[in-house]
Amino acid sequence: MDRMDYLLAIESSCDETAAAVLDTQGRVLGETLLSQMDHLPYGGVVPEIAARAHLAHLPGLVDKALRRAGIEAAALGAVAASTGPGLIGGLIVGSSFGKGFALSLGVPFIAVNHIEAHALSPRLPGVSEREVAFPYLLMLVSGGHCQCVAVEGVGRYRRLGGTIDDAAGEAFDKAAKLLGLGWPGGPALERLAATGDARAVSLPRPLLGRPGCDFSFSGLKTAVAQIVARGDARAEDIAAGFQAAVADVLADRAGHALAMMRQTGSAPGLMVVAGGVAANAAVRAALRTLADAEGIGFSAPPQRLCTDNAVMVGWAALERLRLGEADGLATPARPRWPLDEMRPPAEMGA
């Protein structure tokens, strides 16, 4: 790849349309992101609307990212796009656009696993205060995912636990809806919680203290619904109590995940939190406190890189290119693509 000076990355796995240009060292030269608002009247993402919005806006966002980077498309050495998991319509739009762009330039296309992009994002230069070396514990908490993952290398992941019902971000959205806060609910609930007293309401901590590191948030959501229906508690106190309960559960599950890694001889030196819920200050504080108590480092991407974005997609592609990733033009869009199916580039096709 003699031309590998710059890489274009595309993200379209859900309701964020994004593009970014990175150099070979992972420096972000230009990026764009559009958060779709057409879903607001429906209280959640409508797949068909999301796919049409990606189709309408992606070309312009790519052009803008290239202009911000100050380069022509001909200078690109590779193109990457989220190819799964996610909403199939959006994935088809983004990956097809990326493949066509790569074909027109005669450069490789890198098919990126969206969850792997989250998993590797703390290794992006400038994101963490310290070097993020393998192995580390990843707490992936977003609207669609809630997992404890042992990250042992690029393409080497062990899923230690995950949600058995709602993801944490989904629970935030549902609790916010019950409180009349609209969608997306996470940021609005956090703002309301800042004015409340978490001790004023009694809420469950599902699976707290149980063996393993699986999650369950449906019971917590039901408890919120019951308190709201009674009408005897302030909305801000319910929000604060809900947020505290989620933070307590995540910290408890993370502690169990750290113990599981140590028991298998894969002692982590760092705990990483990524995904949209990682932007929540209470969640970050609870996990940082745990990391300090465990004597390990703590890392969280800046808030703009917690939610879906093309920068993390580009970085994941660069990590794989350095290890010899082959052209992925034949890789189909996949609505499901578990991390434990990933392999290092050297083992692909083996």
Side-chain angles (χ1 to χ4, degrees), residues 220-247:
L220 175 59
K221 176 197 66 180
T222 300
V224 169
Q226 292 171 342
I227 293 174
V228 170
R230 288 204 309 264
D232 57 0
R234 300 190 311 158
E236 52 265 45
D237 293 338
I238 299 172
F242 171 84
Q243 181 176 261
V246 172

Side-chain angles (χ1 to χ4, degrees), residues 98-181:
K99 290 175 181 179
F101 213 82
L103 275 171
S104 71
L105 297 172
V107 300
F109 171 78
I110 308 302
V112 173
N113 181 303
H114 175 82
I115 303 179
E116 181 175 58
H118 276 299
L120 297 176
S121 63
R123 288 170 51 85
L124 185 73
V127 165
S128 302
E129 298 175 358
R130 54 186 286 183
E131 180 183 358
V132 179
F134 302 116
Y136 56 86
L137 171 65
L138 168 70
M139 298 294 295
L140 177 59
V141 282
S142 68
H145 306 282
C146 194
Q147 300 179 30
C148 300
V149 180
V151 182
E152 297 172 341
V154 176
R156 298 185 183 278
Y157 309 102
R158 284 191 297 119
R159 186 179 183 274
L160 304 172
T163 184
I164 59 177
D165 42 57
D166 295 347
E170 182 182 3
F172 264 97
D173 284 340
K174 289 180 177 178
K177 185 175 182 179
L178 288 167
L179 293 170
L181 299 179

Side-chain angles (χ1 to χ4, degrees), residues 260-336:
M260 292 169 68
M261 288 185 69
R262 290 171 181 143
Q263 289 168 3
T264 58
S266 181
L270 186 70
M271 177 167 55
V272 168
V273 58
V277 180
N280 182 279
V283 168
R284 286 190 185 224
L287 293 175
R288 183 183 290 276
T289 297
L290 172 67
D292 290 344
E294 295 280 350
I296 63 173
F298 176 80
S299 176
Q303 290 196 2
R304 71 181 183 86
L305 297 181
C306 287
T307 54
D308 296 345
N309 63 89
V311 172
M312 69 178 189
V313 174
W315 176 251
L318 287 173
E319 291 256 37
R320 286 190 157 267
L321 280 166
R322 290 168 181 166
L323 296 175
E325 181 84 348
D327 194 302
L329 279 173
T331 304
R334 300 178 58 178
R336 284 183 48 79

Side-chain angles (χ1 to χ4, degrees), residues 13-14 83-89 91 114 145 334-337:
S13 64
C14 190
T83 310
L87 300 178
I88 188 62
L91 292 169
H114 175 82
H145 306 282
R334 300 178 58 178
R336 284 183 48 79
W337 194 359

